[in-house]
Amino acid sequence: MQTMTQLDPLRRTVDALRVDGPVALVPTMGALHEGHLSLVRAAKTHAAHVAVSIFINPRQFGANEDLDKYPRQLAADSALLEAEGVSLLWAPEPTLMYPQGYATNVAVSGVSEGLCGTARPGHFDGVATVVCKLFNQVRPDLALFGEKDWQQLAVIRRMARDLDLTLPHAEAIIGVPTVREADGLALSSRNAYLSAEQRAAAAELPRAMRWAAERIARGAGVEPTLREAEQSLLAGGFDRIDYIALCDAQSLAPLTALGGNAARLLVAARIGATRLIDNIPV
Ligand code: AMP
């Protein structure tokens, strides 16, 4: 695995790798776990070479969020990627990503609004901006993202379509199912913030979500079911529910009842200072 921190050698290396076939990009913020590795494994089924980026993107963190304490473990991450047969690790410094005088923002309206867009103003501008830059830097043929961050996936697909990104274009953005712990909790770098007691309580999130999704699928009213799930999260140890919503899976428009299109249940909730998100199909 080659580790690159400068743009010119990165591009030369990707061009050389592409001789063997398609190059896939898996963008991450590091602190890698099995969820990230499942993206790498999925990438290998689509591409001749896998490139992974590790960049903790300051522009997607709000002023009072966890940028400073976000786990940083490049050496351990690098060893994991090497063992997975990743060809290239792109690990730019913040000054390369956002040099002095940097002034450009990518804002995707519609799918960025509501849900995490309401709870974390500016977050999806930061995500869209950095992913657009990563695509232009690495120029992969395809890119993979986790369904765990369902709204993020929708934002990136919309951006790729709207900006006519050819590498990768919207159809070359692949969503990968969420990897979970045995008790159902979605793997997340932020799970490391949880105490043992909070970690036990966190399992209520997938439980409440599954309960609500099954009830709604069997015809129960959406609003009362979501309110009941919210109460069970609060009773189970969560301190605050940012949202629990049934949405159109593609447009993310809120739904008050199931219709013809695919629907998704999305939740964001906090235990202490830790914010967890999750989603499942309904
Ligand atoms: P992050 O490092 O948190 O920005 O995540 C990098 C990528 O890994 C994103 O596309 C996430 O959606 C994906 N990801 C994070 N957690 C999981 C998980 N539990 N299962 C599958 N993909 C995940």
Side-chain angles (χ1 to χ4, degrees), residues 6-29:
Q6 298 300 319
L7 212 41
D8 284 348
L10 168 76
R11 286 194 170 139
R12 275 199 299 278
T13 305
V14 174
D15 286 346
L17 293 175
R18 211 190 316 274
V19 171
D20 297 331
V23 176
L25 174 65
V26 176
T28 81
M29 298 205 299

Side-chain angles (χ1 to χ4, degrees), residues 5 15 32 68 101 103 109 176 181 190 195 198 230 242 265:
T5 59
D15 286 346
L32 301 181
D68 291 338
S109 42
V176 178
E181 304 275 11
R190 290 191 165 99
S195 69
Q198 290 173 329
E230 188 169 288
D242 279 359
L265 185 69

Side-chain angles (χ1 to χ4, degrees), residues 26-217:
V26 176
T28 81
M29 298 205 299
L32 301 181
H33 50 61
E34 279 293 316
H36 299 111
L37 300 184
S38 80
L39 299 186
V40 169
R41 290 169 199 147
K44 287 174 100 174
T45 70
H46 291 276
H49 290 284
V50 180
V52 173
S53 62
I54 295 184
F55 180 67
I56 300 175
N57 176 33
R59 290 174 75 97
Q60 72 187 69
F61 287 79
N64 300 315
E65 293 184 356
D66 56 344
L67 175 61
D68 291 338
K69 71 166 182 171
Y70 199 85
R72 287 162 169 84
Q73 47 185 63
L74 191 59
D77 288 346
S78 180
L80 285 172
L81 297 176
E82 181 102 53
E84 291 293 330
V86 166
S87 300
L88 191 161
L89 169 57
W90 171 230
E93 289 293 328
T95 48
L96 183 144
M97 199 57 100
Y98 303 118
Q100 194 77 41
Y102 182 90
T104 303
N105 186 50
V106 179
V108 181
S109 42
V111 283
S112 286
E113 292 153 19
L115 306 171
C116 285
T118 305
R120 304 180 71 189
H123 168 69
F124 287 118
D125 284 18
V127 169
T129 300
V130 81
V131 171
C132 189
K133 283 178 67 77
L134 288 167
F135 286 178
N136 286 331
Q137 291 166 346
V138 180
R139 301 194 286 217
D141 299 283
L142 61 143
L144 296 93
F145 295 85
E147 290 184 353
K148 153 114 190 321
D149 300 281
W150 188 263
Q151 192 175 11
Q152 168 173 286
L153 187 55
V155 168
I156 290 162
R157 286 198 168 119
R158 188 74 250 171
M159 172 186 75
R161 197 167 286 130
D162 290 355
L163 296 184
D164 304 315
L165 296 188
T166 50
L167 295 172
H169 55 77
E171 284 69 38
I173 290 164
I174 295 167
V176 178
T178 302
V179 177
R180 298 176 179 281
E181 304 275 11
D183 65 2
L185 182 67
L187 266 55
S188 164
S189 307
R190 290 191 165 99
N191 294 352
Y193 301 152
L194 300 171
S195 69
E197 193 187 340
Q198 290 173 329
R199 171 62 191 82
E204 185 57 25
L205 182 60
R207 249 199 314 271
M209 219 174 48
R210 288 209 172 102
W211 175 84
E214 279 162 24
R215 292 233 339 169
I216 291 168

